[in-house]
Amino acid sequence: MPTTLTLKNIPDDVYDRLKLAAQTHRRSMNSEVIVCLEAVLLPRKLTTTERLSRARELRSALPQGQFEAGEMDALKRQGRP
């Protein structure tokens, strides 16, 4: 059964970065905190095959033919919301 945890005295800069990360990933603050804790406390090393499979899965979800290689490179350089 999940446990509830209350955090106090979070430094403003940590809170601001957490809030920005939550918005960027389109998660609630609570979900973002859980993801961050899991990443640090329960790291999972993905195999090369798993990484490639995930990348192919994400790529297949994109509309076909709408993204040129040069356009994608430009977006990577400028960053995405």
Side-chain angles (χ1 to χ4, degrees), residues 24-26 67 71-81:
T24 300
H25 298 125
R26 298 178 184 198
F67 297 97
E71 180 183 358
M72 290 177 71
D73 288 339
L75 289 170
K76 288 180 206 173
R77 281 192 291 282
Q78 75 181 15
R80 295 175 295 257

Side-chain angles (χ1 to χ4, degrees), residues 8-61:
K8 296 180 181 182
N9 301 319
I10 300 171
D12 290 340
D13 57 335
V14 172
Y15 177 83
D16 292 341
R17 292 200 54 192
L18 182 63
K19 186 173 182 179
L20 180 60
Q23 290 171 345
T24 300
H25 298 125
R26 298 178 184 198
R27 295 183 183 123
S28 67
M29 291 281 284
N30 187 75
S31 293
E32 190 66 26
V33 168
I34 291 170
V35 168
C36 290
L37 288 172
E38 287 176 339
V40 171
L41 300 174
L42 304 171
R44 182 173 175 266
K45 180 108 171 146
L46 295 178
T47 66
T48 303
T49 303
E50 289 172 319
R51 285 187 189 276
L52 287 172
S53 175
R54 179 68 177 137
R56 288 182 180 119
E57 178 185 327
L58 291 170
R59 183 177 288 162
S60 71

